[in-house]
Amino acid sequence: MQAAKPVSVFGWGPSGALVRVSLGGQKRDTVVPETGKWQVGFGSFPYRLKTQLTITAGQTSTTEDVQFGDVFLLAGQSNIEYKLQDDAEFDTEKANFSATNIHVYYTPQIEYEKSLTFGWGEVATPSWQSLTKDNLGDVSAVGYYALNKIAHANPDIPLGMLECFKGGTSASSWMAEATLAADPALAAGYLEPYHQAVDGKSVADFDRADADYNTILEAYNAKKAAYMQAHPELSQEQVKLHVGHTPWPPPMRPESYLRPNGLFHTMVEKTAPYTVKAMVWYQGENDADHAALYEKLLPRLIIQWRTTFQQSSLPVYLIQLPQYQDEPHHAWAQIRQAQWHTSQRLEDVHLVSLVDTGEQHNIHPVHKRTAGQRLGSLILSQGQTPSVTSCKRVGDAVVLTVEPATQLVVQGETPIEGLVNGRWQPMKVKVAGNQLIISEPAHVEKLRYAYRNAPIPSFFNEDGYPLSPFLLSVSE
């Protein structure tokens, strides 16, 4: 459990039942409300404390051993879900695995419930498991590399990896319908298309659409498998250049996990309000078709999760998308822009840029070490990767200030471009400490840098972290 913070303990039971909870010498009583979900709060406990949690309801009593350390919530879609066993360096990492203080809790991926409940139903009740060589391959690769770095920096502090993710999902799947409906643009972009896809259709209609999709998917998988067998020397990225990408998404139906707000109820509300140290959010790939809406979607999601987990100032480590070419024009650039803006506008949101990593034609990069270790380092320092924090005209120049940075380093040739008389053109840039000084015509209206789906970044801070891509207006 999370140390040094007031903690919540919650569960499910019959309405009206008396529940008694004892934790580390503190005792709380509560009555299960009509919703069936009960909750009690405790004060904070010190790091490294080992104690017991006892919950009694009627004639049933359960006691669990508890230890206090740091718990990290890992959330998002496929690249945070990506298992360590699929990482290119898994065999090496497994052979060298030595951490003994990492524990994992996997939130079951309940896609649909006909009647929403707070319990786990027919799904096996999840529990915390110690991370060992035997189960190492099943955990998030990014999460593992991050927590392994933290574990070696703090070998005597218990660490928890609370996994709550599902591949292929839009951020809208992880938010309440009321939150989406409250904004007309989000309602039009997500709720209305969903209802147009499902309203008035029969089960037979949905089944026919699924059958057609499965035929296309099976043909693609057979083609890909044959090509891989014929060309074993090629990487996934190279194979997809020849056979194309997996057909996605499948047809929408009322019980699809891709529906707006679905996973918020079936997964998030079953995990919250577990007390955590920080939240990691790695998502955005599946919202590329609505990239312009991500500016609205992302901050609302963070605010909602903070509310749902009852931690209004919960630190969030926001992973900015890496390089990937095969999306609509500038779609990933727009997503990164929204991620950067969100980190600037919300308190305690730490940007973790991966724009110097990735594979241009593989949406699931097979090397996760850089992403995870960078995340782990920034969690340890409570920092973030550099981004532009101000843009001002100073005399005949435009000055961009970059933080965190003491001395910017140039490692490539990607230019900063300026919009002049309606045309984008390269700017002349001088580096002075943590500032980029642009000496160009006074009528430059906007500036952009690495504003592409798959850019090659040029500017880094002294720690080797890449400057976040940007598109911004020039202020007076």
Side-chain angles (χ1 to χ4, degrees):
M1 300 184 80
Q2 181 58 48
K5 282 187 177 184
V7 296
S8 295
V9 176
F10 60 94
W12 301 271
S15 175
L18 174 65
V19 179
R20 290 181 169 172
V21 185
S22 173
L23 177 62
Q26 299 183 29
K27 296 181 180 181
R28 302 288 187 271
D29 290 352
T30 190
V31 175
V32 180
E34 290 185 4
T35 62
K37 184 176 183 179
W38 58 265
Q39 176 185 343
V40 294
F42 290 88
S44 61
F45 294 86
Y47 280 96
R48 305 174 187 85
L49 173 67
K50 294 183 178 181
T51 186
Q52 289 187 320
L53 168 68
T54 298
I55 301 174
T56 302
Q59 301 300 312
T60 302
S61 183
T62 301
T63 298
E64 299 284 351
D65 292 328
V66 173
Q67 52 185 327
F68 285 87
D70 283 330
V71 181
F72 298 94
L73 170 62
L74 307 182
Q77 60 174 111
S78 53
N79 274 306
I80 191 70
E81 181 180 16
Y82 192 94
K83 292 184 178 181
L84 187 62
Q85 66 189 18
D86 297 322
D87 186 80
E89 300 178 64
F90 171 60
D91 290 339
T92 299
E93 199 60 34
K94 183 176 181 179
N96 295 325
F97 177 70
S98 61
T100 59
N101 57 331
I102 302 176
H103 310 268
V104 183
Y105 179 99
Y106 177 76
T107 302
Q109 295 179 340
I110 299 176
E111 297 183 1
Y112 178 75
E113 289 179 325
K114 187 173 182 180
S115 297
L116 292 175
T117 65
F118 284 112
W120 294 107
E122 298 179 357
V123 176
T125 301
S127 62
W128 285 100
Q129 305 292 328
S130 295
L131 189 62
T132 67
K133 283 191 176 184
D134 292 334
N135 61 12
L136 187 63
D138 293 329
V139 304
S140 162
V142 171
Y144 163 75
Y145 282 121
L147 264 69
N148 191 49
K149 190 172 187 68
I150 297 170
H152 282 87
N154 301 283
D156 61 336
I157 293 180
L159 300 176
M161 186 190 310
L162 199 171
E163 300 181 322
C164 184
F165 39 55
K166 189 166 180 60
T169 51
S170 161
S172 65
S173 298
W174 301 98
M175 301 165 65
E177 183 173 4
T179 302
L180 297 169
D183 185 278
L186 295 181
Y190 291 98
L191 295 178
E192 292 176 16
Y194 167 73
H195 287 291
Q196 290 170 3
V198 302
D199 290 354
K201 294 184 179 180
S202 67
V203 173
D205 292 332
F206 296 126
D207 290 345
R208 278 193 296 270
D210 282 346
D212 292 342
Y213 172 76
N214 288 333
T215 298
I216 295 172
L217 182 61
E218 289 171 4
Y220 168 83
N221 287 335
K223 180 181 178 181
K224 180 182 175 184
Y227 199 89
M228 291 176 66
Q229 185 175 10
H231 302 279
E233 76 283 0
L234 297 183
S235 67
Q236 286 281 347
E237 180 178 16
Q238 291 168 324
V239 168
K240 288 184 177 181
L241 281 174
H242 293 277
V243 302
H245 294 272
T246 306
W248 190 264
M252 182 60 71
R253 53 190 303 154
E255 65 271 25
S256 170
Y257 70 88
L258 300 174
R259 69 197 183 281
N261 84 81
L263 299 181
F264 177 77
H265 297 299
T266 62
M267 292 180 66
V268 180
E269 288 188 323
K270 295 179 188 296
T271 303
Y274 201 96
T275 307
V276 297
K277 175 80 168 182
M279 166 182 168
V280 176
W281 181 254
Y282 189 169
Q283 190 274 337
E285 302 94 328
N286 226 66
D287 286 299
D289 289 341
H290 297 86
L293 292 177
Y294 209 66
E295 287 269 3
K296 291 175 172 287
L297 203 61
L298 181 58
R300 285 166 173 78
L301 179 140
I302 291 174
I303 292 169
Q304 176 143 63
W305 279 50
R306 283 173 164 172
T307 300
T308 304
F309 278 85
Q310 299 176 16
Q311 294 180 246
S312 60
S313 57
L314 178 66
V316 175
Y317 288 82
L318 182 57
I319 298 184
Q320 192 180 50
L321 295 184
Q323 302 168 17
Y324 182 62
Q325 187 62 52
D326 301 333
E327 290 288 3
H329 184 61
H330 288 350
W332 277 38
Q334 287 180 280
I335 297 289
R336 291 191 201 100
Q337 180 87 350
Q339 292 168 329
W340 166 48
H341 280 169
T342 300
S343 72
Q344 297 290 306
R345 293 168 180 168
L346 295 184
E347 291 291 329
D348 220 348
V349 174
H350 306 252
L351 187 69
V352 184
S353 180
L354 300 183
V355 72
D356 57 332
T357 71
E359 299 177 32
Q360 294 203 7
H361 303 287
N362 183 11
I363 202 169
H364 302 123
V366 299
H367 291 273
K368 302 295 189 187
R369 180 184 295 275
T370 297
Q373 291 188 341
R374 182 172 296 170
L375 171 63
S377 294
L378 293 172
I379 288 175
L380 285 168
S381 67
Q382 300 181 44
Q384 61 182 2
T385 52
S387 59
V388 172
T389 56
S390 73
C391 172
K392 296 181 180 179
R393 292 190 187 274
V394 180
D396 295 331
V398 176
V399 178
L400 306 180
T401 300
V402 176
E403 295 178 340
T406 300
Q407 179 60 57
L408 292 171
V409 178
V410 182
Q411 296 184 5
E413 299 180 357
T414 298
I416 293 178
E417 299 173 299
L419 185 63
V420 181
N421 297 325
R423 297 183 62 182
W424 289 102
Q425 61 187 50
M427 299 283 100
K428 295 179 181 179
V429 181
K430 176 183 176 182
V431 174
N434 70 331
Q435 293 186 324
L436 298 170
I437 302 173
I438 301 169
S439 301
E440 286 297 330
H443 50 275
V444 62
E445 303 166 16
K446 294 183 179 181
L447 295 170
R448 70 182 184 186
Y449 161 71
Y451 198 78
R452 305 283 191 277
N453 285 343
I456 306 298
S458 294
F459 299 105
F460 298 77
N461 70 1
E462 64 276 7
D463 294 321
Y465 298 149
L467 172 63
S468 171
F470 60 78
L471 170 64
L472 48 83
S473 298
V474 178
S475 62
E476 296 299 328

